[in-house]
């Protein structure tokens, strides 16, 4: 089993590099087009995987992911500050919640119109059926 360990590790590294190469966005691929990198990783498993890891994909460091320390009059109140480039979750975004309420109201109005139209059509059908039955006593 220990004889096969280096082969299994190399195979796992190759599969990881191939999947990483396939799923990477085009704007994160450096020096060559993404298709060329996929071919290199496929044709030269170990060397291509190492090359992809070393130079093929743009790796973002911890500095680009750091959120600035809060400052100013709203410091310490996360509901009032939103770091640049960071999106809110839909349930925290007031614009999204307002659009949901507006859509909900529009759907309710449409449902009321449909129900009124259905009632009117039922009344029209009942009115057409009554004269055939004869006079009422």
């Amino acid at each position: 089993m220990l004889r096969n360990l280096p082969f299994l590790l190399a195979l796992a590294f190759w599969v990881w590099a191939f999947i990483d190469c396939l799923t990477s966005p085009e704007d994160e691929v450096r020096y060559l087009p993404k298709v060329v990198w996929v071919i290199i990783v496929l044709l030269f498993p170990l060397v291509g995987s190492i090359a992809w890891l070393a130079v093929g994909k743009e790796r973002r460091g911890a500095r680009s992911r750091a959120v600035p320390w809060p400052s100013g009059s709203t410091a310490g109140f996360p509901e009032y500050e939103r770091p640049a480039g960071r999106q809110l979750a839909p349930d925290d975004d007031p614009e999204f919640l307002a659009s949901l309420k507006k859509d909900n109201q529009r759907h309710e109005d449409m449902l009321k119109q449909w129900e009124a139209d259905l009632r009117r059509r039922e009344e029209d059908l009942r009115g057409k059926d009554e004269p055939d039955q004869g006079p009422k006593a």
Side-chain angles (χ1 to χ4, degrees):
M1 177 66 184
L2 287 176
R3 280 187 305 173
N4 296 335
L5 187 62
F7 174 74
L8 291 175
L9 289 176
L11 181 67
F13 179 61
W14 177 55
V15 169
W16 171 82
F18 179 67
I19 292 172
D20 188 45
C21 186
L22 284 177
T23 59
S24 294
E26 190 73 37
D27 60 338
E28 290 182 9
V29 178
R30 298 189 304 177
Y31 301 118
L32 295 172
K34 184 176 175 179
V35 175
V36 175
W37 276 113
V38 170
I39 293 171
I40 289 173
V41 171
L42 275 178
L43 293 180
F44 308 104
L46 189 58
V47 175
S49 299
I50 292 171
W52 170 252
L53 179 67
V55 296
K57 184 176 181 182
E58 180 179 315
R59 307 284 178 199
R60 293 194 173 111
R63 291 182 187 164
S64 66
R65 282 186 261 136
V67 177
W69 188 262
S71 61
S73 62
T74 60
F77 299 97
E79 61 270 11
Y80 294 113
E81 59 189 30
R82 185 182 333 171
R86 186 171 175 194
Q87 295 181 353
L88 288 176
D91 57 344
D92 292 336
D93 189 1
E95 294 171 6
F96 179 74
L97 295 174
S99 72
L100 286 180
K101 288 180 182 177
K102 185 175 75 171
D103 286 345
N104 191 24
Q105 185 61 41
R106 187 171 51 89
H107 290 134
E108 289 290 329
D109 293 341
M110 190 183 315
L111 182 62
K112 288 177 184 176
Q113 288 176 350
W114 288 348
E115 288 174 345
D117 187 47
L118 181 63
R119 282 192 209 100
R120 183 186 53 81
R121 289 181 184 196
E122 287 175 348
E123 291 296 323
D124 289 347
L125 288 174
R126 285 187 191 128
K128 289 180 182 178
D129 290 342
E130 287 179 8
D132 295 337
Q133 294 175 358
K136 292 185 179 180

